């Protein structure tokens, strides 16, 4: 790591001032830009993961969050606590609609099963340990296996420290690896969420949109055993006492202010090859958008008259809608851009640079050529299996996971496949448990039938023989025949019953083989072919890792030769992005987006129903100008959301936004629709992310929801 | 005048920084604000009407304009030269659609009859001469007559200087009077107008709107006789050589820049009484909006299949549409405002202030009470005669004017009624001449029938007995009967014939009385009753002037007592307004109007037809980024229109916009719809006027219309 840092330290120029999801360790490289942007802290402070303010930043696994009280209170987005609110909701006590506020610790509710708060303890560069001299010589599945084994060993050693979860994450396409050790807090409780009319105000209509008026905030609390260790839920557990807590900003923010967000961006694709861009935008995203739209329609139709079922699918609908709009937005941006031509030209320049020097050509040329062929193979596999993934009943997937687990359980833990080790059991169990809350046979059957029709129309050679056999698919079957086959399959299984599922969690392979349950039988039938496919994937994966890492090495060397620092694509690890609070043009000549929205816009949008159902108490407070100290002196009312130039993506949801002094000023929760193409191709002019203003959060808590206990705890009063 | 100026010079505070249509003489009072806003000239410079830059500012009578070349080239709005373009248009040579450019002096076309360029020579305060000790004691018609006589005498004396037009204008509701002497240039020629797809781009859809992309500019040239005197059109005439000419700004403007506009605002009503507000918004404007909408529909229907007739009514349609949208816009603003309550409260405060002091009470109280009753009487008359004004055939109006003229002609000039003196003959003749171009019997009949139905349904006591007799109206007539009566009236007249009309211009009252022409007979029949009504109006008018002037005197004294300067309501005299180029909020939270639009917006709006029919050559130049030196460095393209905080109203159309150095930066041509309520009640937050950017004018002239001759003449090249 030190070598890399030193190499990078001499690089002063960054492609764009606001671009970059920087690893905290990289920040000294951009110290000049940070200072120029207005940061008042020493950039070096931000490299210390266990000190202030980075020590207050946590991951929820898929969302970002932060400690905002010494009693383990965690602030994040409403959509990040959404599952937990839904989990605790019933038609009789609809917490989604009405919101929830625990007035005391005793009133806090268990978050949805599997909820976690991850507190990062250590991050170590283990690149040379993962790709050591031996591994460096391997290819294909041997290489995959060797890397996986090293990762598992490293993680296992790390997790000997009970209550921790360790991960080895890959950076720059497998060029670098870091071991990340996190305290895994398993007792997570829901503390407060505003009504959906605040937390999800604007719904899918406003999602990815500006002007925005969503109060996308919610609170968890992390609990540990009395001796401070991570532990399963217990009423004897006590709040976790974080070492570092974000301080609320004393002053409100304004346009032009410095801002940074600390969080866990999930995935970007800025270093992708032209062929990957072409496949994604030419085939993969369009296919996803099409079937997602269809599936949303099916769920709407099937749950129309059943509030209970609708609640079960609420989270899936929210997630699908989100990705649907995201992918469509990227497709729209792509259609109007020269991205592919530009990426192709850049790639040609890289190749020319490589070929211009014999040593570089010797080191990189072969892999740069090789990677294209490997990716073409992977793309063909993705196309082939696209509908198969949607055509498998959810309980078949569950049965396959359970049978795989039973088989892995026969091996010593260290030899088990990744994700099926002892450390993974709670998450597997949580996923099985979740079926009670998010599965309905009628809805599932309708979704599967829809995808199955598409799958069954593929040529036999592109279908999955074992799956065909299990369902009874033959060339030329019509939808009625497929429906009948599915009906038989579902009718032959008892896995719809929770007790039955739980029982299979502990059974042996022999018991699976002896079962007459249709889904269990199907899982057994698909097991061996599945292992064979997995081996093929690993063969391909090993070769891709090898060639891709070397391609990235060439690319980084090329960028350095031009004096440019390179941050890795997002990979769900902790990153820092900084920029400014700023409005922007939005394509309608003579108009612009202002940096802030206000509660006036809530009044204007409120319809009293559906996605714009702002609570009556909130509307009354706005009309009465009951703003207290949360009024913005310039706007003369309470700000709601604001735009900034931060470079974030999915996974950053719930990221704490901090001002130049490192004080808490809001929560990042979204980007504008034409920003998200930046996942592939950073667009400086358009990229704006959206924060909910801390003042709106506090105002709503104080003047509408009367969450005085929490305000006091956070030091807001 | 000096006394007033001295009294005001001690007043430093103005209600709002950007409010005010200042008489040039008043500018030293706001010198501090002018400097603070950024003016680089000495404010005293602007008080000198015959020096730079005020000397370059002219009136077109209803529009404002300015000299932009030493050869008498006059820049104004496209909609101010619209009549002249229409006048020269035929279905075969449609200058409105295609635009017009004279490549040499010889190619310039006579402007529409009656077109004038007025160059102000002198402005003199004559208040104490108009309301002298004798007049001050008079009331009613005696007072009206005396004031009119003094005005006429003063004007006649002034106009002894041939080629000049003199006016005595009333300020502050008749509290002050100024004699204004102007050179009246009568040979005005059309030099250049862009196609309607530029000059009227956006049409009525975009009128009063933002974002705006109208290239609302056009050029006249003023001609005089070879010895430099105002003269009728002659091919021997030569361009007028103005003493002062605006200089084009070398640098483009940007948001935040100082701006001032010099022009002739027509009318505002900021000093009106609450009862006048109530009547206008409660009855008068709604009635106007209703019948205007109906009339527009009738004209559209009647001209649908006749391009020639449609062209005849194009100017009337444009004017009606403009006022229709204006009045409706004011009604919308009024509906959401507390204007009436606030004006009422302010009036109560004024009354309280008056009554708090015996001397003040003695001086003002009676008139303040009296004025309310007089206004109520006037309102009743307006209501009564509302439909009558629309129900008179246009040729009946012409006949009445001609007969009045014949009667006035029998008197010595000095004793003739105002507007019927020798000095008025050319304008009367021009109005009669214009019928060839803007009158069609079928359309007129349809409009009159529509209004007549409404008029005829009024109770007999509220109808006009002489008019009833002329048309043959009786209680309870249905539309068919009215239509038949109208048909007979129209059929009985030859005034539709131009030669016939011209002949009547010179005839005696006896000849009128002897005529069998139906409209002439009607005019004779309505003459005596008309004089009686006029006398009643003058009785009322004299009393109103007396009371109103004293009410205004009280109001000004009250405002001075609070340290506030008072500018008079607009009255078509030269005024200066200053402010900043600035965007604004526009009510949609989270968005804003930017100060500038650009040619990108022209591309976006262009549909290739109707109101958004941008010329192909212009679109090609935009697409090719053929911007030359007119590109804005920040916008990276050519700006089109921009918003500013200037306080303008109708009549300001064509006003030169100047920068801090007094250089020409564009032409004011409109305001946003929610600005126009400021005619009654200045709204600082909303008020924005719209300028066409000089750079757009020059770019379009250079890169699209190739008007290189004019660019050279203006010193743009």
């Amino acid at each position: 790591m030190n070598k890399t840092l030193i190499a990078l330290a001499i690089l002063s120029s960054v492609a764009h001032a606001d671009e970059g999801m920087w690893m905290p360790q990289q920040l000294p490289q951009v110290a000049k830009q940070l200072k120029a942007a207005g940061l008042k802290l020493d950039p070096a402070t931000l490299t210390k993961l266990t000190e202030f303010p980075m020590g207050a930043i946590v991951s929820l696994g898929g969302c970002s969050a932060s400690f905002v009280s010494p009693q383990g209170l965690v602030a994040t987005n409403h959509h990040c606590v959404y599952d937990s609110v839904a989990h605790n909701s019933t038609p009789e006590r609809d917490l989604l609609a009405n919101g929830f506020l625990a007035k005391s610790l005793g009133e806090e509710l268990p978050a949805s099963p599997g909820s976690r708060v991850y507190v990062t303890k250590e991050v170590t560069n283990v690149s040379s340990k993962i790709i050591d001299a031996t591994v460096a010589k391997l290819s294909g599945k041997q290489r995959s296996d060797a890397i996986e084994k090293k990762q598992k060993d490293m993680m296992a050693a790390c997790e000997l420290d009970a209550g921790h979860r360790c991960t080895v994450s890959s950076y720059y396409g497998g060029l670098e690896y870091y071991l990340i050790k996190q305290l895994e807090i398993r007792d997570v409780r829901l503390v407060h969420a505003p009504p959906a009319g605040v937390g999800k105000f604007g719904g899918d209509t406003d999602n990815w949109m500006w002007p925005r008026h969503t109060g996308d905030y919610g609170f968890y609390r992390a609990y540990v055993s009395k001796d401070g260790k991570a532990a399963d839920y217990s009423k004897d557990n006590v709040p976790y006492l974080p070492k570092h807590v974000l301080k609320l900003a004393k002053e409100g923010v304004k346009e032009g202010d410095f801002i940074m967000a600390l969080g866990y961006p999930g995935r970007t694709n800025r270093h992708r090859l032209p062929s990957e861009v072409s496949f994604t935008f030419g085939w993969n995203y369009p296919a996803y958008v099409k079937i997602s739209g269809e599936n949303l329609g099916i769920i709407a139709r099937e749950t129309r008259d059943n509030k209970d079922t609708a609640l079960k699918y609420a989270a899936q609908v929210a997630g699908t809608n989100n990705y649907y709009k995201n992918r469509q937005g990227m497709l729209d941006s792509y259609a109007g851009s020269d991205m592919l031509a530009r990426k192709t030209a850049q790639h040609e320049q890289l190749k020319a640079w490589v070929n211009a020097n014999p040593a570089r050509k010797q080191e990189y040329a072969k892999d740069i050529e090789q990677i294209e062929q490997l990716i073409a193979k992977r793309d063909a596999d993705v196309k082939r299996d696209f509908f198969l993934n949607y055509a498998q009943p959810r309980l078949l997937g569950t049965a396959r996971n359970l049978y795989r687990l039973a088989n892995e359980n026969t091996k010593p833990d260290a030899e088990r496949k990744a994700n099926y080790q002892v450390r993974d059991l709670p998450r597997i169990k949580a996923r099985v448990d979740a079926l009670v809350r998010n599965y309905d046979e009628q809805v599932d059957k309708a979704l599967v039938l829809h995808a199955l029709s598409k799958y069954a129309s593929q040529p036999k050679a592109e279908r999955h023989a074992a799956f065909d056999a299990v369902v009874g698919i033959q060339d030329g079957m019509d939808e009625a025949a497929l429906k009948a086959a599915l009906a038989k399959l579902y009718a032959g299984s008892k896995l719809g019953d929770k007790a039955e599922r739980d029982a299979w969690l502990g059974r042996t392979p022999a018991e699976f083989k002896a079962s007459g349950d249709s889904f269990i039988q199907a899982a057994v039938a698909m097991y061996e072919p599945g292992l064979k496919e997995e081996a093929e994937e690993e063969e391909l994966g090993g070769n891709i890792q090898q060639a891709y890492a070397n391609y990235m090495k060439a690319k980084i060397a090329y960028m350095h030769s031009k004096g440019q620092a390179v941050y890795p694509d997002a990979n769900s690890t902790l990153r820092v992005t900084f920029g400014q609070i700023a409005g922007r043009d939005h394509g309608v000549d003579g108009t612009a987006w202002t940096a802030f929205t206000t509660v006036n816009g809530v009044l204007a949008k409120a319809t009293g129903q559906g996605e714009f159902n702002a609570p009556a108490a909130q509307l009354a407070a706005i009309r009465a100008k009951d703003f207290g100290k949360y009024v913005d002196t310039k706007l003369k009312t309470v700000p709601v959301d604001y735009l900034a130039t931060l470079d974030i993506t999915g996974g950053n949801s719930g990221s704490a936004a901090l001002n130049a002094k490192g004080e808490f000023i809001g929560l990042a929760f979204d980007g504008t629709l034409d920003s998200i193409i930046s996942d592939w191709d950073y667009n400086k002019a358009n990229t704006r992310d959206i924060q909910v203003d801390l003042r709106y959060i506090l105002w709503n808590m104080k003047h509408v929801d009367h969450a005085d206990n929490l305000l006091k705890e956070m030091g807001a009063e």
Side-chain angles (χ1 to χ4, degrees), chain A residues 632-651:
Chain A
D632 181 282
T633 48
K634 185 163 169 256
L635 301 169
K636 297 189 174 30
T637 182
V638 178
V640 176
D641 295 332
Y642 56 89
L643 294 171
T645 60
L646 300 179
D647 184 6
I648 68 169
T649 190

Side-chain angles (χ1 to χ4, degrees), chain A residues 228-250:
Chain A
K229 298 273 164 61
D232 289 330
Y233 174 85
S234 160
K235 64 181 176 53
D236 295 332
N237 283 347
V238 295
Y240 171 74
L241 306 181
K243 275 193 197 157
H244 300 287
V245 170
L246 293 183
K247 290 163 196 152
L248 308 188
K250 288 267 182 299

Side-chain angles (χ1 to χ4, degrees), chain A residues 494-559:
Chain A
K494 289 177 180 157
L495 281 187
D497 181 60
K498 184 185 184 318
E500 187 75 13
R501 290 194 296 267
D502 289 347
W504 284 106
L505 265 169
R507 290 190 179 143
T508 64
E511 287 172 301
F512 278 79
K513 283 178 184 165
S515 167
D517 188 284
S518 59
F519 286 136
I520 299 294
Q521 282 182 330
V524 172
M526 291 176 77
Y527 182 64
E528 290 297 335
L531 289 184
K532 192 166 159 275
E533 289 147 27
E534 191 174 279
E536 287 166 5
E537 279 167 25
E538 283 164 357
E539 176 70 18
L540 183 60
N543 289 331
I544 287 180
Q545 186 278 334
Q546 187 175 16
Y548 216 105
N550 205 31
Y551 150 68
M552 277 306 306
K553 194 175 169 193
K555 184 172 178 182
I556 292 170
Y558 173 58
M559 298 293 276

